[in-house]
Amino acid sequence: MKDTLVGGGPKEDATDRRPATRPEHTAALRKKRLVGLARPWLLLAPSLLVLAGLLLWPLIQVGKLSMQDYAVKFGGGVGTFTGFDHYTDLLGSALLWKTVLPNTAFFAIACVGLTVALGTLVALLLNRLGPAWRLICSIAVLAAWAMPAVTGTYVWIWLFQPQDGMVSQIAGSMGLIDPETTNWFTERGPFYAIATLNVVHHGFPFVAITVLAGLMTIPKELYEAGELDGANAWQRFWKITVPTILPVFLVVTILSTIWDFKVFTQIYLMPGGDGANEEVYNLGVFSYIQAFAKNDYGTGAAAAVLLTLLLLAITIVYIRTLFRQGEEDQ
Amino acid sequence: MSVRRTTLAARIGLPVAVAALLLFALFPVYWMISTALDPKAVTRGSDVLPSGFSFEHFTYVFEKGNFGTYLLNSAIVGFGTILAAGVLSLFAAIAVARFKFRFRTSVLIMVLIVQMVPLEALVIPLFIQMRDYDMLNSLLGLTIVYVALSLPFAIWTLRGFVQTVPKEVEEAAYIDGASWFRMFRSVLLPLVAPGLVATSIFAFITAWNEFVFAYTFMKGSDKYTAAVGIYQFFGENSTAWGPVMASSTLVTVPVMIFFVIVHRKLGSGLAAGAVKG
């Protein structure tokens, strides 16, 4: 990977810098360049230290832990090396293939699809509204966004609460369910449908606001020119709007994918989501339960590594998209 | 653009779409606040309007639930995170946006990669690390973790803002004989201030909303953050919905106020971060 990075560096530099040497300032610039060599690293050092110490080092540790049986002893832990045992156990378990992975993947795909589709539709809507309604709708969208994952989850649980919840009572009064016996949270399908609602409600504002910002960069003249050339609304949308927001669209899709694969809080807080119901495990919850409820840090770490590798694959796509886009901009 | 040709579909479709959006976006918020205010919170069921107004659930969470301490803990951790993450990310953003140096692209890619690292992967080793250094149950320990969590996004967003400051402005300052620090203070800092505000809000919200680490690390109930503090009102079988929704409201409303205040900057900040990438 490093080769491509170094290879990509100078190309980028050559384009976004203007010629640095002006004869009358050569001496001053030479001195400045010497200082300049150290300065970026001095500026970066604190951030890199924090990131290395709290994100990178633990990531290495989790890799190491996944190959150990870790036992908590008084005053510290002792790890016994077990090689790839946790991985073979994990990859050989029916729970992973029948429950954990399908839950994780289908949930993520549903959430990303709905979040991006709804977010884009809302952005297009906001872009068509007059200033007053746009402000009102933007504030509503911001309100949905501002709701923390924890409180948002509690509200959705409360809405779907067996017996007392609003949705349960309405469905009961319409004769769709028996509110006394129906519990939406015990089965995988309804459980994840509610989780999807929750995650989409929390996630679509980011897409809407970002895509809207992209839409607003399109000059109005382009549409006027298109109209003069006889393009109808549909053609103007596909020829002007879509190409302009495509880069933004790609970024929000990939970011949503990364976020939705690692949803934890929303699942963990739902009834049965904290490990009581194996049916609704996803990869993050499974890892957490193994480590902290079952004290099996090794298997928990192995599941965490699996999740990380999955997200790494998605991130590579993300980065390639971003940098390809960066080159096109210049 | 096509406002002039208002078709029938648009005349009906637009209000319907606006109504649907407002309902979907706001109903959960409304339901939370109105449950919090309803004295008969548990039996209200399908009644859209609360049966009465009372602040009893709010006083309950403060008097019986010690929620004031949790809010204070959240605020301490939040402002600590803003301060540290703001300073660190500004330095880093200037470095990656303004200087050319070897491995600049590598640094940027590393920043992006750590953004995707799942918290669940970090929580196990960090828990062990924190325990070994005796940092469990410590607000400082939690703050350090949140600084790390908010840095990647902050660096990435601020980088976009620093890039929008024309290089000519900086060069003009140099030609006028200003030192780098002078230029930084009087030219760059005022121009990236909006970006700094946006990233600070994000850092604050990251810390304010975070659940997994706070839940795992803070075991003494006087050290709970507000997001974790709600958990104690939530029972597996019988939940006191009034207090849960009252404490949820207390956690949510400050964030909403922030969002509404900075929403303009938020949009441009995100676009700068996303598009300038």
Side-chain angles (χ1 to χ4, degrees):
Chain A
M1 188 161 210
K2 206 163 247 173
D3 287 337
T4 55
L5 307 181
V6 178
K11 200 160 129 214
E12 200 189 41
D13 291 342
T15 42
D16 75 310
R17 301 268 149 174
R18 54 211 85 249
T21 37
R22 281 180 217 153
E24 62 265 38
H25 292 300
T26 314
L29 277 172
R30 190 174 298 148
K31 185 187 157 208
K32 203 172 290 167
R33 184 164 302 161
L34 215 70
V35 184
L37 212 65
R39 192 175 279 148
W41 290 106
L42 285 176
L43 287 168
L44 274 171
S47 289
L48 292 185
L49 272 175
V50 171
L51 291 178
L54 284 127
L55 301 181
L56 217 56
W57 179 244
L59 210 58
I60 295 165
Q61 290 299 307
V62 83
K64 202 174 119 197
L65 259 173
S66 72
M67 295 194 217
Q68 290 180 340
D69 268 334
Y70 183 89
V72 183
K73 300 265 162 66
F74 193 71
V78 182
T80 325
F81 184 74
T82 56
F84 287 96
D85 283 4
H86 293 304
Y87 289 97
T88 42
D89 286 353
L90 188 65
L91 294 172
S93 81
L95 184 68
L96 181 81
W97 296 105
K98 291 215 167 105
T99 309
V100 177
L101 278 183
N103 283 354
T104 311
F106 285 120
F107 176 59
I109 291 166
C111 288
V112 172
L114 288 167
T115 308
V116 173
L118 184 67
T120 308
L121 284 175
V122 170
L124 288 169
L125 174 71
L126 291 176
N127 199 36
R128 287 203 57 173
L129 294 172
W133 278 104
R134 185 191 286 181
L135 185 69
I136 293 170
C137 288
S138 302
I139 288 175
V141 166
L142 288 174
W145 196 4
M147 212 167 197
V150 173
T151 62
T153 305
Y154 284 128
V155 177
W156 288 104
I157 298 171
W158 171 216
L159 281 165
F160 285 90
Q161 180 74 1
Q163 297 170 38
D164 302 322
M166 178 185 216
V167 179
S168 304
Q169 291 210 345
I170 290 176
S173 68
M174 285 162 63
L176 295 173
I177 58 158
D178 177 5
E180 296 300 314
T181 56
T182 306
N183 186 342
W184 312 88
F185 296 102
T186 48
E187 266 174 79
R188 209 173 169 185
F191 181 98
Y192 272 100
I194 296 167
T196 305
L197 256 175
N198 179 6
V199 169
V200 171
H201 181 260
H202 190 55
F204 87 90
F206 167 77
V207 178
I209 302 282
T210 313
V211 172
L212 178 67
L215 285 175
M216 284 162 58
T217 61
I218 308 177
K220 278 215 157 56
E221 291 76 21
L222 273 180
Y223 290 100
E224 282 160 14
E227 215 168 338
L228 280 177
D229 290 344
N232 62 30
W234 186 248
Q235 286 168 327
R236 290 198 301 272
F237 178 74
W238 282 106
K239 298 278 186 218
I240 301 170
T241 314
V242 172
T244 318
I245 60 166
L246 203 63
V248 183
F249 198 70
L250 277 174
V251 171
V252 294
T253 306
I254 297 164
L255 274 179
S256 304
T257 312
I258 293 172
W259 291 333
D260 292 349
F261 259 99
K262 56 179 179 183
V263 167
F264 176 85
T265 309
Q266 288 93 329
I267 304 294
Y268 187 84
L269 289 178
M270 279 169 70
D274 61 351
N277 184 1
E278 277 194 357
E279 275 269 287
V280 299
Y281 274 175
N282 72 2
L283 207 42
V285 171
F286 174 76
S287 160
Y288 191 89
I289 303 286
Q290 284 297 327
F292 292 103
K294 302 190 173 162
N295 278 323
D296 182 358
Y297 291 95
T299 310
V305 170
L306 204 65
L307 180 61
T308 310
L309 291 176
L310 238 149
L311 289 165
L312 189 70
I314 301 169
T315 308
I316 289 171
V317 180
Y318 173 41
I319 289 169
R320 289 183 59 143
T321 315
L322 274 180
F323 279 84
R324 195 172 305 144
Q325 202 184 299
E327 280 164 27
E328 278 166 17
D329 282 351
Q330 295 150 10
Chain B
M1 348 160 226
S2 45
V3 189
R4 272 165 283 150
R5 278 183 281 159
T6 323
T7 59
L8 187 67
R11 210 178 299 163
I12 302 169
L14 221 52
V16 170
V18 167
L21 170 63
L22 290 180
L23 186 73
F24 179 66
L26 291 181
F27 189 75
V29 182
Y30 164 77
W31 199 241
M32 171 183 77
I33 295 171
S34 73
T35 304
L37 291 168
D38 190 336
K40 292 184 187 147
V42 177
T43 54
R44 61 177 304 196
S46 60
D47 298 330
V48 174
L49 292 173
S51 61
F53 289 98
S54 129
F55 287 97
E56 64 186 77
H57 299 309
F58 287 94
T59 43
Y60 176 88
V61 298
F62 282 112
E63 281 166 9
K64 297 272 163 53
N66 208 13
F67 210 70
T69 311
Y70 308 152
L71 285 172
L72 185 69
N73 289 342
S74 281
I76 293 172
V77 173
F79 284 109
T81 307
I82 287 187
L83 220 68
V87 172
L88 297 192
S89 64
L90 182 60
F91 286 170
I94 290 171
V96 291
R98 273 294 183 255
F99 295 99
K100 74 169 164 193
F101 56 93
R102 241 170 105 78
F103 303 121
R104 180 171 74 163
T105 322
S106 320
V107 167
L108 270 174
I109 289 188
M110 196 202 93
V111 167
L112 276 176
I113 288 181
V114 291
Q115 200 178 334
M116 74 75 204
V117 171
L119 302 186
E120 298 71 47
L122 298 176
V123 69
I124 302 171
L126 276 176
F127 174 79
I128 292 172
Q129 244 167 281
M130 291 279 177
R131 195 196 53 205
D132 292 350
Y133 290 104
D134 222 6
M135 292 276 269
L136 288 180
N137 239 352
S138 134
L139 292 177
L140 179 68
L142 199 61
T143 309
I144 296 172
V145 174
Y146 291 162
V147 171
L149 291 188
S150 37
L151 265 183
F153 189 80
I155 294 174
W156 197 249
T157 312
L158 268 180
R159 171 179 173 257
F161 274 93
V162 176
Q163 279 178 336
T164 59
V165 178
K167 191 124 186 65
E168 289 76 11
V169 181
E170 273 180 45
E171 277 164 1
Y174 289 138
I175 290 167
D176 291 345
S179 70
W180 189 83
F181 284 102
R182 179 68 215 266
M183 185 286 302
F184 171 75
R185 216 188 50 197
S186 352
V187 179
L188 205 56
L189 200 56
L191 286 169
V192 296
L196 212 51
V197 171
T199 49
S200 296
I201 302 265
F202 267 114
F204 183 80
I205 287 168
T206 304
W208 184 265
N209 290 355
E210 204 283 329
F211 177 78
V212 186
F213 287 106
Y215 173 69
T216 313
F217 293 175
M218 311 311 253
K219 286 306 178 195
S221 72
D222 60 323
K223 291 289 171 59
Y224 284 166
T225 58
V228 177
I230 307 171
Y231 197 67
Q232 65 176 343
F233 304 116
F234 184 76
E236 195 67 49
N237 296 313
S238 63
T239 296
W241 284 109
V244 168
M245 289 298 128
S247 46
S248 293
T249 305
L250 290 168
V251 172
T252 308
V253 168
V255 185
M256 283 182 179
I257 294 169
F258 272 141
F259 265 59
V260 170
I261 293 173
V262 298
H263 77 276
R264 269 171 228 285
K265 269 147 204 150
L266 213 63
S268 57
L270 285 172
V275 180
K276 294 272 169 182

